[in-house]
Structures are given as C-alpha cells and as structure tokens.
Amino acid sequence: MAVEITSSDIFTPGQLTMHSKIFAGPGAGKTHFLVENVKNIVTTHPYVANSRARKVLCITYTNAAVDEIVRRLDRYADSVEIYTIHGFIIEHIIKPFQQDLREIISEEFGIAVDGKGKITSQVEGVGILHGVDKAEIFKYIANKTAETAELNYSKKIMGDVQVKITDYLQDAVSFAAKKAVEKLTASSKIADTHILLIKAYIWSVVKKLTHDEILYFGYRILERNHTALYATRVKFPFIFVDEFQDTNPLQTMLIKLIGAKSTTIGIIGDIAQSIYSFQGAKPSQFADLAMNGERELAQYVINDNRRSTANIVNFCNYLRQSDSNVSQCSRKPYPDDATKLKTEAKKVHFIIGESDIAKSQIAEIIADGGVVLTRTWAAAFSYIRGITPGQVDCLKKIYNSYYTSPIDLRRDIEEHNFVTWVKAFKCIFGLWDGYRTGAFIDILKAFSIYVDIDHKKITPKSISLIKKLSGNLFAGLNENTTDKTTALVIENFNALILEEQYSELKDVLGAGFKIPVFADADRDDLKANVLSLNWQTSYKLFTEVFSAGSKYMTVHQAKGLEWEKVVVSLIPNKASNKDNITLDVMYNNPCLLEEQAAQEFTRMYYVACSRAKEDLYIHLPNGFSSSVIGNAIGAFTEKSGQRIEYEII
C-alpha cells in the first residue's frame, strides 16, 4: 500500500536508503517534489554534499523537461546532471566506452569500426542518413560485393535497418545465438546480402546509432563492463527518473541494473498518462516495477492536484476510476488567497456536433486564449480559424506525405529547417515580418538561413535596396491574404532580385542569390500541395500551429503542458477500428489500466482533459447522446461522492 505524501515533502535520510516509487497524477507537483528533494540531497547528504565528483542524476522524458528542471535547480545545478535517457546514455556510456561499443558491434554483428571518430546518436527529427548521398552507400555495397546491378533503395528504408530490439527483449540467449543478419530488422525491399553492409556503412562510416540502438548498446556495455557499471554507480549515488510510465523495457532494465547496488533509485510516474505504446512504453513498466538487490522499494502517492478546478479534477477521476492507486483532490487556490482552497469551480462544458454555432463557440474559445487538443494533426488542422476546407485538405496531405519519412515536419518547421520548402517559407516570412515591423535585423536573420552575411558589407545603399525590394514584393499583403500562394511570393522575390536595380545586393547576398522552394527528390504530389498553400494558411501553419505557443496540438505534443482553457476533441480511429472502442463505450465504462488499444485511447483522453486549469471544453461528434454523459457522470458521483458540475452548450 502506497504511503500518501505531498509535493512539499522531503525524504528523510532513512527514506533515502530505499528505492522509491511515487505515484503522482497531473498537476500533482511532480517537478517541484523532484527538484526540492534533489536540492536537499546536494546540500545535506554526505555522498554528494562532501564530494565534487559525485552527483545526483535526473532523467526525464523531453528536452523541454530537462530545461525546466535546470531552470528550477538554478545554483544547485552544478551538483546535478539532467538528461533525457538517450542523452544520459550517449554522454556517460556510449562516448566514454567507445572501445566496448566497437567490440560488441564486432562480436555480435561481425562489423569492424575503426577508431577514428566517435560513434554517436542520430539527430532528432531527421533520418539517420540525413546529409548522406545514397550513391555513396551504393558504391560501398558494390565495392564490398563486386555487384554491378544498379541499386535504388531509398534513404528511409536503409536508415530503418537496425537491431531487432524486440527479439532481444523476448529472449537474450536465443538472440545471441542468431546469425548477425538475423539480429537486424530491415525492409523486405532490401536484399538479404545488403542488410549487414548497409548497417556496416551506418556504423563505421556515418558513425550513428538509432535511438533504439542507443538504449540497446548502452545496456549491453554496462551489462558486460563491470568497471563501467561501477563507475556509473559511484558517480551517481542517487538517480531520479521522472515520467517513468513513458519508459520502454530496455530503459527499465538499464535503471534496474544500475540500482542493483549502491545507487538509490527514485521513480516518479502516472499509469494513467502512459500513451507511448508505439515507442514500447507500457503501464505495467511502472505499475509492476520491482528493483533488483536487497534494498526495499518504498511506494508513495501524491493525490493533490494544484493545477485544475474541482470539477475538472473530479471529471478526470471519473475517467481514471479503474485505477485505485491515485484519486486526486483539487488544491487549486484562489488567486487572491493562496491559503484558501477553491471549492466552487466552473462547469465542465460539452459541445456536441459540427453546427455553425458549435464551430463559432470553439473559434471564440481559441480567440480567448484556448487551445485545441486532438488525436492527430489531420484533426487539428480542421480547427484552424479562418481557412477553407480546401486549404485544410492541403495541410493534411502535406503532413501525411511525411508519414513514412524520418522527417518530423512539425519539428522541422519549429527547429530544424532541413526541408527545402520549409526553409523557403521560413525565409520569406522572416523577410515579411522584418518589412512590417521595420526591424532590419529580422531581415538579416531571414537571409542568414541561406548565407553567412558579412555585416561589414552592409551599407546604407544596400539597406535602402532591401527595403525597396521588400516594399515592391509585399505591397498589398496581409495576414489574411488568400489570393496569392506563398510559393508565388517566393517566385516573385526570385524574379525581383535579378533585376538590375538590385544588382548591388550581390555584395551582401552573393551573386545569383535565390530562394529554392523544392529539392530534386521532392515528389510531385508534395509539390502540388505546397504550391497550393495560400499566404494566409501557410503563415498560420508557421506561426500559430507549428510554433511556440501553438493554439492547436495533438495530445502527445501537449503532454506536460497546461492552459487556462482547453478544447478536447478526441475520436477513436473509425477507418481501421484499431482503437477497438467507441466514445459511448468509453464514457459508460472508462478503463485505462490495461495495455489494449481501447484503454490507451482512454488514457489519451485523460491526459488531454487534465491539461485544463480553469475551463475544460469537450467537443463530441454529431449523434453523440447527451444522456450518455448524464448517466455515466451520475453513476460515478453516486459511487464516489465526487460531484461534477457540467453543462451541454
């Protein structure tokens, strides 16, 4: 039975001698609990406080969460190392124990990797072969095999060749006995004789590991190199792992291996927020965790919720009623009196149907700072204010064209700019923003996407020419322009820059400067859809959707975030029926503990609803009966005593 604690509790020296598992729901103050306990350890516990070499290790799920913990630790951060699990393995296992990595690759796969250059991780958001000319891979294969037949594998399927992690997890002994090629998964389009050669090129020439391979080799290095394992335990006497419900089996095995001796492990998580089954995460990884070694695993629960109103918390409790581990209670204070708990909360709002009135209500919520959370990006695009169904369809087709690609289009627009048309759109929007605001530095930043500008070459004349060009290019454009496509504006720029009157700009931008919209490898269907995006739609995509402060998100992107107003619009996948559930069934009997698709859908619904702080709006499809809501909530209130005020609007 778990001991109830609060997010302000600090573990005693006695508690720090045991491993700990903390059940904590949304808004419970998990990060606050973790940070305050880490501060206590680094200032009072002799293992860390009296040593410059020993540190506390914090592992969390995303880079954003890493940054948040670093920010909160502030001056204490020198005694703490904070990573994602992949970051930790790369920095503390893969990089320092390269010889072990090479030996494992040689012994298990027969691939020799020379000692020049370190093997490291693929870049997030792009394929492992990004920047590699596939002709070089074909040449490598031809040299090794003396084959003369022309090859035409895509970089995508070659990059997908990787260690069969699932086979290893099922039976490590039988996995070890397999032939090298049988230990790799690959597309059926790749000849069996080429699989090992492609992997050999990636490991020995590109020197990159996939994200799953980082976990595999990290675990294997610690498993076989006792010195590496001992060094890890000595350096990190305490390890805290946040969002443990999102870990996959290999991560769990690695943490248990380290925690079998010396190191104290603290894991924090929430079964009801396990929504990453496609990455191998399972609720049971957290629920059933038992540590190796002699020390006990103490269990705790934080039932407080400091994020949401009582009605929202009670509604979320209704969704997670099958879980007896956690039953949250709202501790959201009045804004003007932090000591007084809020007992009266706004109603949960249900919007049913696709009428103009319903759409208008949702548009007003978004305009008032609300955020829409959906199952997929295709569904999210449908809620973007002010764009036509035809433009929504274009966005869906563009996004779906990257479905089987290693490119994460959202991240490319937000961060990377690897995709050619994304770079082009980013540049033209940057030029426009600089033109509108008069901020010349923004114009230079836009050009810097393509060229390294020598600021010494910027003269009053060149500034004047750029402003003149911008005035001619953007005349009549505004955020709601729909009669021009973004590609046409870029085409106009490329034509203007060639005019004699702007010839002096070549000293700043280089001769023949232009903004290319597409790469040679881009498919015709992608080009057609990108060319169809009008200025208004594409500007919204870059500034309101795939951007910081987005008003439209999938549940997976929203995890860990919170907003005052949230519109939840999650519908089971009807096309394939892979969710094996309907909304009626979910509302009548919400279950989320097991590992079936239907229960993961319920967990996604729970995560989405728990993002709301003040106002929760739930958008339900046409034909959904309001009586289902009334009967289900009424039965829960009678059974639990938790009242939920709601309204159908």
Side-chain angles (χ1 to χ4, degrees):
M1 188 71 179
V3 175
E4 186 165 359
I5 59 175
T6 74
S7 61
S8 299
D9 286 348
I10 302 296
F11 279 161
T12 66
Q15 288 173 305
L16 289 174
T17 63
M18 297 183 289
H19 301 305
S20 58
K21 175 162 63 174
I22 300 105
F23 297 86
K30 295 191 293 293
T31 304
H32 176 78
F33 174 83
L34 185 153
V35 166
E36 294 307 309
N37 273 274
V38 168
K39 287 179 181 178
N40 176 62
I41 291 170
V42 302
T43 54
T44 67
H45 201 287
Y47 284 2
V48 182
N50 299 337
S51 170
R52 290 185 178 182
R54 309 187 87 184
K55 298 188 177 185
V56 176
L57 172 64
C58 293
I59 295 174
T60 190
Y61 194 71
T62 65
N63 289 320
V66 168
D67 293 341
E68 176 63 14
I69 293 173
V70 169
R71 184 188 69 79
R72 293 202 197 187
L73 281 170
D74 193 20
R75 63 187 177 88
Y76 299 90
D78 288 344
S79 298
V80 188
E81 297 206 14
I82 307 106
Y83 294 100
T84 63
I85 186 67
H86 292 89
F88 163 67
I89 294 172
I90 284 291
E91 290 301 319
H92 288 280
I93 304 175
I94 299 294
K95 285 184 179 179
F97 299 103
Q98 288 275 304
Q99 185 57 38
D100 291 273
L101 174 60
R102 286 172 165 79
E103 288 174 2
I104 294 170
I105 289 174
S106 175
E107 293 168 12
E108 296 190 7
F109 301 92
I111 295 172
V113 180
D114 65 41
K116 298 177 182 178
K118 287 191 174 183
I119 303 171
T120 186
S121 168
Q122 71 177 101
V123 177
E124 287 189 49
V126 295
I128 198 168
L129 293 174
H130 177 77
V132 176
D133 186 347
K134 66 180 180 180
E136 291 299 313
I137 308 176
F138 300 154
K139 182 180 177 181
Y140 179 88
I141 293 173
N143 289 341
K144 295 291 185 180
T145 63
E147 294 176 2
T148 57
E150 185 175 342
L151 300 177
N152 194 31
Y153 304 136
S154 70
K155 287 205 292 187
K156 169 68 169 65
I157 67 169
M158 289 192 289
D160 284 344
V161 175
Q162 66 174 338
V163 178
K164 285 183 178 177
I165 306 296
T166 52
D167 285 9
Y168 175 77
L169 291 172
Q170 287 172 1
D171 191 337
V173 175
S174 64
F175 180 84
K178 289 182 178 181
K179 296 178 181 178
V181 71
E182 294 174 343
K183 297 177 183 178
L184 298 172
T185 180
S187 166
S188 59
K189 295 178 181 179
I190 298 177
D192 290 346
T193 53
H194 297 161
I195 293 172
L196 267 176
L197 291 173
I198 290 170
K199 194 76 261 189
Y201 185 89
I202 293 172
W203 283 342
S204 63
V205 179
V206 181
K207 287 187 165 61
K208 291 286 194 293
L209 303 175
T210 69
H211 294 307
D212 282 348
E213 288 171 350
I214 290 168
L215 299 175
Y216 173 77
F217 287 115
Y219 177 75
R220 294 285 290 113
I221 289 170
L222 290 190
E223 183 185 40
R224 65 182 261 151
N225 185 336
H226 293 174
T227 301
L229 179 57
Y230 175 76
T232 303
R233 288 170 174 161
V234 168
K235 181 165 187 178
F236 300 114
F238 296 96
I239 298 178
F240 288 92
V241 186
D242 196 12
E243 304 290 357
F244 196 87
Q245 75 281 346
D246 295 329
T247 61
N248 68 28
L250 262 177
Q251 292 170 256
T252 302
M253 289 165 61
L254 186 141
I255 295 299
K256 290 176 68 173
L257 179 62
I258 298 172
K261 288 184 180 179
S262 305
T263 298
T264 298
I265 305 293
I267 64 168
I268 308 168
D270 184 14
I271 297 168
Q273 296 187 72
S274 178
I275 59 173
Y276 287 94
S277 64
F278 59 90
Q279 294 181 354
K282 300 177 180 179
S284 58
Q285 287 292 118
F286 180 70
D288 301 337
L289 179 74
M291 296 297 296
N292 300 326
E294 298 178 354
R295 278 181 297 166
E296 294 181 36
L297 174 67
Q299 299 191 65
Y300 305 92
V301 60
I302 302 174
N303 280 319
D304 292 346
N305 183 312
R306 300 180 183 278
R307 172 189 297 162
S308 306
T309 63
N311 271 323
I312 295 173
V313 170
N314 290 348
F315 181 77
C316 289
N317 283 341
Y318 148 71
L319 289 174
R320 76 177 297 161
Q321 60 186 276
S322 60
D323 175 22
S324 60
N325 294 296
V326 176
S327 181
Q328 288 199 303
C329 180
S330 177
R331 301 295 182 191
K332 187 177 178 68
Y334 282 113
D336 58 346
D337 184 355
T339 64
K340 186 176 181 182
L341 299 181
K342 191 166 186 175
T343 55
E344 293 184 8
K346 295 178 181 178
K347 295 179 180 179
V348 175
H349 320 282
F350 292 91
I351 301 172
I352 301 177
E354 305 291 336
S355 67
D356 290 341
I357 295 175
K359 291 177 181 177
S360 176
Q361 288 173 329
I362 294 172
E364 288 178 11
I365 297 164
I366 296 170
D368 194 31
V371 173
V372 176
L373 304 182
T374 60
R375 172 74 177 277
T376 65
W377 280 115
F381 294 147
S382 299
Y383 284 94
I384 301 175
R385 291 173 296 157
I387 68 173
T388 66
Q391 290 287 287
V392 170
D393 190 50
C394 275
L395 290 178
K396 290 179 179 180
K397 288 177 179 176
I398 290 168
Y399 189 82
N400 289 338
S401 69
Y402 291 94
Y403 183 74
T404 58
S405 160
I407 294 291
D408 181 337
L409 184 60
R410 177 192 66 85
R411 291 195 63 182
D412 199 70
I413 290 175
E414 281 191 76
E415 303 172 34
H416 298 311
N417 303 338
F418 291 135
V419 175
T420 303
W421 70 267
V422 169
K423 287 177 67 174
F425 280 38
K426 269 275 184 73
C427 180
I428 205 69
F429 292 146
L431 295 177
W432 186 52
D433 286 338
Y435 164 71
R436 288 191 304 161
T437 62
F440 191 72
I441 191 69
D442 288 344
I443 293 175
L444 293 181
K445 184 178 178 182
F447 282 132
S448 69
I449 292 174
Y450 292 101
V451 293
D452 292 324
I453 295 176
D454 184 351
H455 287 236
K456 295 178 182 178
K457 293 182 178 180
I458 298 172
T459 64
K461 180 66 180 295
S462 61
I463 293 173
S464 176
L465 286 175
I466 289 174
K467 287 182 177 179
K468 181 180 179 182
L469 185 152
S470 299
N472 290 333
L473 179 66
F474 297 124
L477 268 184
N478 60 59
E479 292 183 9
N480 298 315
T481 296
T482 59
D483 60 352
K484 286 185 180 179
T485 66
T486 305
L488 177 61
V489 177
I490 296 171
E491 183 183 326
N492 290 341
F493 170 88
N494 288 335
L496 279 171
I497 199 74
L498 295 176
E499 292 183 2
E500 182 64 27
Q501 61 178 319
Y502 302 115
S503 61
E504 291 184 38
L505 289 180
K506 68 182 179 183
D507 291 335
V508 177
L509 302 176
F513 179 85
K514 67 178 295 187
I515 301 175
V517 179
F518 297 111
D520 292 339
D522 287 336
R523 299 195 314 270
D524 289 342
D525 58 337
L526 171 67
K527 291 179 180 178
N529 286 306
V530 170
L531 289 171
S532 297
L533 287 180
N534 66 40
W535 183 264
Q536 179 199 47
T537 299
S538 47
Y539 190 73
K540 283 179 178 289
L541 178 67
F542 278 65
T543 60
E544 291 187 15
V545 185
F546 292 156
S547 63
S550 176
K551 298 175 179 293
Y552 315 90
M553 282 193 180
T554 65
V555 178
H556 290 94
Q557 298 302 332
K559 196 157 181 286
L561 303 176
E562 59 184 34
W563 297 271
E564 295 293 325
K565 300 173 184 286
V566 172
V567 179
V568 172
S569 177
L570 268 67
I571 300 174
N573 190 317
K574 294 180 180 179
S576 63
N577 197 33
K578 68 177 183 179
D579 293 319
N580 196 30
I581 196 172
T582 64
L583 285 176
D584 283 23
V585 169
M586 187 199 75
Y587 268 87
N588 281 316
N589 185 28
C591 297
L592 46 63
L593 283 181
E594 302 303 323
E595 294 170 359
Q596 291 85 11
Q599 305 210 345
E600 181 162 24
F601 176 82
T602 306
R603 292 195 293 274
M604 280 190 280
Y605 215 90
Y606 175 83
V607 169
C609 293
S610 65
R611 302 305 95 195
K613 296 164 69 176
E614 285 285 342
D615 279 302
L616 172 60
Y617 298 84
I618 298 175
H619 188 202
L620 296 163
N622 281 321
F624 190 90
S625 173
S626 60
S627 64
V628 171
I629 299 169
N631 293 337
I633 289 178
F636 172 74
T637 298
E638 184 175 347
K639 178 176 68 174
S640 67
Q642 298 181 46
R643 187 173 181 81
I644 303 171
E645 298 288 348
Y646 70 93
E647 63 178 353
I648 311 293
I649 59 174

